[in-house]
Structure formats: C-alpha cells, structure tokens
Amino acid sequence: MQEFEDLKKRLGEVSALASAAGILEWDHQTHMPAGGAANRAVQLEVLSKITHEMSVSSETERLLKAAEKSVESLDPDSDEAAFVRIARRDFDHSAKLPTVLVSEIARVSALAHESWAEARAESNYSKFAPWLEKIVDLERQVADHLGHTGERYDALLDQYEPGMKAADVRAMFDAIKPTSVALVKAIVERGPNAVDDSVIKRDFDEAKQLAFGEAVIKEIGFDFERGRQDRAVHPFCSSFTSGDVRITTRFDRNFLSMALFGTIHETGHALYEQGIAPRYDGNTLGGGTSLGVHESQSRLWENLVGRSRAFWTHFYPSLQSTFPESLGDVAPERFYRAVNKVEPSLIRVEADEVTYNLHIMLRFEMENDLLEGRLEVKDAPAAWNAKMREYFGLTPPDDAQGILQDVHWSMASFGYFPTYSLGNIISAQLFAQANTDLGGVSAQIERGEFAPLLGWLRENIHQWGRKYTAGELLQRITGKSLDTDPYLTYLKTKYGDIYGL
C-alpha cells in the first residue's frame, strides 16, 4: 500500500495549504483591520495558486493512478478505497479549472468581501456592483470550464451538492411549495396578532446574550477545547481539523433571536466537524460530505431542536433569570410561540421556518438569471425588490435589508443557496429516524439530555466525513432517498398546533 500512503501524504500537504488559506479567510472576517484587505487578497491569491497547482500536478496524477491500482482488490467500502475514489473526483474537478482562474477568484473574492461589508454598512449597492460584475463573469467561466449540458447552474451547484442539478432543485421546490404556500395563507388569515413576538424585541444586553448562547451550545455538545466563537458581519463556521472548529455570530441588542439562533445554527455545523473521525483529519475524507447534509445539521439544531417546546422547557428558566427585566413577565409558552412566529420578512437568516424556503427560491432564480445574462448586475436590486413583493408582499426599504444582506455572492459562492432548503428537508428526515431509533427525543431534550441525539448523529453521520455521499447516508440511515414527507408533516404539525389550524 505504499502507493496509497504516498498519495495520502501528498494530499495531506494540499489540505494543509488549504487550511492555511482558510485561517487567513477566517481572520479576514473576524479580526483583520480594514487596512489589511489589499495584502490579504494577495496572500490568498498566492496560496490558492500554489494549492491548485499542487492539486493537479503531474506528480499528483501519477500518485493517484498508482493508488487506484493498489486499492483495486480492497473492499469498496474500506477507508482506503473511499479515499482514492473521492480523490479522483476532486482531481478531475480541479483539473478542469485553470490555475489562473482559481487564483483570480481567491483575489477578487477577498477584495469583494471587503467591498460588500462596506456597501452593506452604508446600504449602497453601487459600491459593491463592480465587484459583483467581476464575480458573475468568473462564475460563468468556472461553470463553462467544468462543463454543463444546458444550465451553468448545474456545474456550480455540483460543487456544493455533488450530482444535484438545477432541475432537481426545481423539483424539490415544486414538492414543498404547495403545502408551504397553503400553510402561510392559513396562518396569515389568523391575523398578525395571533402570535405576539414583541417579547423578543425588548432590551437584551449583548454580553449577556453572548454568555447565555455559549452556555447553551456547550451544554448541547460544542467543545470549546476544540473550538471558539467570534463576531462577524455575517455568521459562519470554519473548520480546519476536528480539533479546530470556529464559529461566529452577530448581535442585535433589541432582537434576541439574531444571535441566539444564529449561534445554535453555526453550532450545528461545528458539531458535525468536531464529530468527524480524527483519522480523517487533514486528508481527503475530512469535512462534510455535502452542503445539503451540512445544512441539515445546522437547521436540525437551530429549528427542530432549538425552536422546540421541549428545548425551551429546559432552557427558559435560565434565559429568564439572565434577562429578568425583559422576560420576567413572559410565560414559557408565550416565549415559545414568539420565537416561532410566522410572518413574511425581509431578512433570510431571521426568517421563520414556514417562509424560509421562499427566500431560497428568490436567490436561486436570481443566480440563474445573472449567470445566463437574463439579468444585468446593474438591474439586480430592482429585480430583487420585485421578487420580494411577489413572494412576501414586502419592499426592502434599503439595499442592506435587500440585495446586500447575504455574504455569499461576495465569496463567489453561486450555487450554495439551494443547499439550505435541501438541509431543511434532510433535517426532518433524519430527526424522524432518530426519534424512532432513540424513542422520544423530545422527552430527552426536555430533560436536558442532548447526548443521545448528538451521539446518534455522530454514529450515523458525523464520523464518516466525506466517505459516503448524501444519498448513500440517507439510504443507510433511513432506508430511503430524499423524502419531503417528514419535513412537510413537521411543518403542518408544529404550526398547526401553534396557530390552531
């Protein structure tokens, strides 16, 4: 197996370079002074160039071919065979992209992120528009180099959810849209005062929010010996090994949900990364298998756990004692209903579970139109606002609450957004199976027992890293492919109860 070990060592060095770039990107969004942006872009460009050249070099290809022969007689389910199989996919994907294009994306996205942050702070889209022009052009080039049979989106989506196509996304939305729309309609007919969420819009000291949030995620399983939390303009999770996983959050003193549920969401990602088998650290099998599966973990902990009645039966007394002035007069049931209010809203990351997917549909359509030239970058804010009126009956009052709210486009992450909706569906499918296997997950959560659920996720999903595809994991765990029924049942049951439908 020397050929396999040689390949593993080579790709371990590639992984180390990618991690170094990742740490620079994390620092860029958390601690780097604004004056460092230009040099940081150069640093990332150089690292990206070296990493890509090493990834697709003739030496890497030679080692890959030799390793493929060496594992031919092994069980296809072995770590070694899976490693080589995924290494081949990664190589074939990377080899299609010119190094100059990869390094240019790293440089432009670093500068674009800085421009986006400034534009968002000033609510001035025109400041970001020239960078978005560059990014759209670069993403078109990526799609064309990777290859597609009609829609550029297919090639970009495949980077985040291997094998998935734009047509699959449309089919997914077609499956959940009728029930979602009918549920929203029924809830809206109950009137805006059916649920009062004013109690989560009172005064909440930021330092206390931070302390409470960290206590919550520590209790559910986040290991601060192998992780940390910082502030960022837009929350995210970065993982370099299972022993170094970092999350970020942001705060609003007059809106408790922003930091609280943002922290739990990113912790879902982090728990996945901290749970990957240490033997996969720094190699091809490390990391999550797909963004859809990754988002299933963040959405599961944020919503199916974090917004459940059981969760707040356990945690509300502590929250109430942390904020006695703001929540002293608020009963647990009132708080539970408040954090689950359904109402068309402007901001995706603050959207309720029922309307959330409409935000993803909007972005999916916008990205397709931009990539195919049906929409010009200069006209994007007007198109965004028109879609907001169509889907939500709302018009953003400014760019910050409209087209500039998400970080993804500044990072050249076209194709990412559908994985959020995919994650919603997978999360319910997995939670339903966990409930069957463990017997009464809600009762365990109510008692503050999070280890059984986390252990189940670790055993069935986290530990495997990239070894199995999303489809393979679902089949292994639930005996089915992607199934929207558990998700739709969950929404109808939960919100039927809250709104008396």
Side-chain angles (χ1 to χ4, degrees):
M1 294 295 291
Q2 187 58 48
E3 295 88 349
F4 172 79
E5 292 299 329
D6 290 343
L7 176 65
K8 187 176 179 181
K9 179 181 178 183
R10 176 79 170 182
L11 295 184
E13 293 170 351
V14 172
S15 177
L17 286 168
S19 290
I23 290 172
L24 288 178
E25 290 169 349
W26 169 84
D27 176 71
H28 184 186
Q29 296 192 50
T30 55
H31 297 295
M32 188 194 77
N39 283 334
R40 182 55 48 86
V42 174
Q43 293 160 3
L44 289 169
E45 179 182 15
V46 171
L47 268 176
S48 178
K49 178 177 182 291
I50 295 171
T51 303
H52 188 262
E53 287 177 340
M54 191 171 181
S55 297
V56 301
S57 70
S58 57
E59 175 62 9
T60 299
E61 185 174 25
R62 183 189 70 78
L63 292 171
L64 178 57
K65 289 179 178 178
E68 286 174 325
K69 290 182 179 179
S70 74
V71 301
E72 284 177 346
S73 61
L74 297 182
D75 181 349
D77 197 44
S78 67
D79 280 0
E80 293 81 3
F83 181 101
V84 174
R85 186 167 58 248
I86 295 170
R88 167 56 70 183
R89 184 186 190 280
D90 291 347
F91 179 88
D92 289 346
H93 176 279
S94 297
K96 293 176 181 178
L97 300 176
T99 297
V100 65
L101 175 59
V102 173
S103 58
E104 176 67 358
I105 290 171
R107 184 188 70 84
V108 169
S109 59
L111 295 172
H113 178 270
E114 202 68 23
S115 173
W116 166 80
E118 293 176 6
R120 183 177 179 277
E122 300 172 12
S123 193
N124 181 5
Y125 175 77
S126 63
K127 196 167 213 173
F128 176 59
W131 290 103
L132 184 55
E133 288 272 12
K134 295 176 188 292
I135 286 170
V136 169
D137 177 63
L138 290 170
E139 291 289 78
R140 288 172 179 164
Q141 292 182 52
V142 168
D144 292 344
H145 279 290
L146 291 176
H148 50 86
T149 57
E151 294 186 75
R152 287 189 172 108
Y153 207 88
D154 289 348
L156 300 180
L157 176 61
D158 183 71
Q159 298 179 106
Y160 304 105
E161 198 61 35
M164 196 173 202
K165 298 186 180 299
D168 299 321
V169 175
R170 295 188 185 97
M172 175 179 72
F173 287 144
D174 287 344
I176 64 176
K177 191 172 182 178
T179 297
S180 300
V181 170
L183 191 54
V184 171
K185 183 175 184 294
I187 290 171
V188 169
E189 288 175 352
R190 291 292 186 187
N193 298 320
V195 169
D196 175 19
D197 67 343
S198 63
V199 298
I200 59 174
K201 298 177 180 178
R202 295 176 176 178
D203 183 56
F204 298 95
D205 177 76
E206 289 187 11
K208 291 182 179 180
Q209 286 190 56
L210 175 63
F212 179 79
E214 290 191 345
V216 166
I217 64 176
K218 183 176 182 180
E219 186 169 343
I220 66 177
F222 183 77
D223 184 355
F224 277 95
E225 293 297 314
R226 299 186 295 138
R228 58 177 290 135
Q229 178 172 245
D230 295 270
R231 293 175 182 247
V233 176
H234 193 287
F236 66 95
C237 173
S238 292
S239 176
F240 310 113
T241 66
S242 63
D244 185 358
V245 182
R246 310 179 188 191
I247 63 172
T248 65
T249 193
R250 63 186 180 190
F251 297 87
D252 184 334
R253 187 174 181 121
N254 301 116
F255 185 49
L256 182 63
S257 292
M258 178 184 286
L260 179 58
F261 292 106
T263 296
I264 298 172
H265 177 99
E266 298 307 331
T267 296
H269 286 301
L271 292 174
Y272 189 174
E273 295 290 341
Q274 288 186 337
I276 293 171
R279 68 181 183 276
Y280 296 159
D281 277 347
N283 76 42
T284 298
L285 294 181
T289 188
S290 78
L291 261 294
V293 175
H294 233 305
E295 291 301 336
S296 79
Q297 301 306 285
S298 58
R299 300 294 283 174
L300 184 152
W301 286 101
E302 176 191 358
N303 294 323
L304 283 88
V305 176
R307 293 184 193 270
S308 69
R309 183 180 278 111
F311 186 86
W312 288 110
T313 297
H314 174 66
F315 276 115
Y316 189 67
S318 175
L319 180 68
Q320 196 172 40
S321 65
T322 301
F323 299 105
E325 299 86 358
S326 296
L327 296 175
D329 64 338
V330 180
E333 181 66 14
R334 184 182 178 192
F335 180 82
Y336 163 71
R337 289 166 61 84
V339 298
N340 284 291
K341 181 172 183 175
V342 174
E343 183 178 41
S345 59
L346 295 169
I347 308 299
R348 174 186 63 84
V349 297
E350 298 166 10
D352 61 82
E353 293 181 89
V354 181
T355 63
Y356 182 90
N357 293 309
L358 296 176
H359 288 272
I360 305 305
M361 294 178 198
L362 181 156
R363 288 152 176 78
F364 171 66
E365 293 170 4
M366 291 277 293
E367 289 187 339
N368 272 283
D369 288 344
L370 285 166
L371 288 169
E372 299 302 334
R374 295 187 293 267
L375 175 64
E376 298 294 328
V377 168
K378 64 181 176 63
D379 300 322
W384 181 286
N385 292 350
K387 287 183 181 293
M388 284 296 298
R389 287 190 291 272
E390 176 187 353
Y391 283 133
F392 301 99
L394 302 172
T395 299
D398 52 43
D399 293 337
Q401 297 178 77
I403 196 168
L404 290 176
Q405 65 182 265
D406 290 310
V407 71
H408 303 64
W409 290 349
S410 74
M411 299 168 63
S413 295
F414 275 61
Y416 188 122
F417 281 115
T419 66
Y420 287 114
S421 289
L422 183 61
N424 284 336
I425 295 168
I426 295 174
S427 70
Q429 188 172 348
L430 292 174
F431 194 82
Q433 188 64 49
N435 194 56
T436 297
D437 293 349
L438 296 173
V441 172
S442 292
Q444 294 166 354
I445 291 171
E446 188 170 326
R447 294 192 297 268
E449 298 170 5
F450 299 99
L453 177 59
L454 180 56
W456 186 91
L457 294 169
R458 290 263 157 93
E459 178 183 353
N460 289 286
I461 301 170
H462 300 175
Q463 67 165 318
W464 302 115
R466 298 177 69 200
K467 183 173 181 177
Y468 300 110
T469 66
E472 288 169 344
L473 281 176
L474 284 175
Q475 284 289 347
R476 284 168 60 91
I477 299 166
T478 71
K480 296 181 180 180
S481 56
L482 184 68
D483 183 4
T484 60
D485 286 346
Y487 176 63
L488 296 176
T489 298
Y490 161 73
L491 289 181
K492 288 186 289 186
T493 301
K494 177 177 180 177
Y495 290 94
D497 170 61
I498 292 174
Y499 282 90
L501 303 177

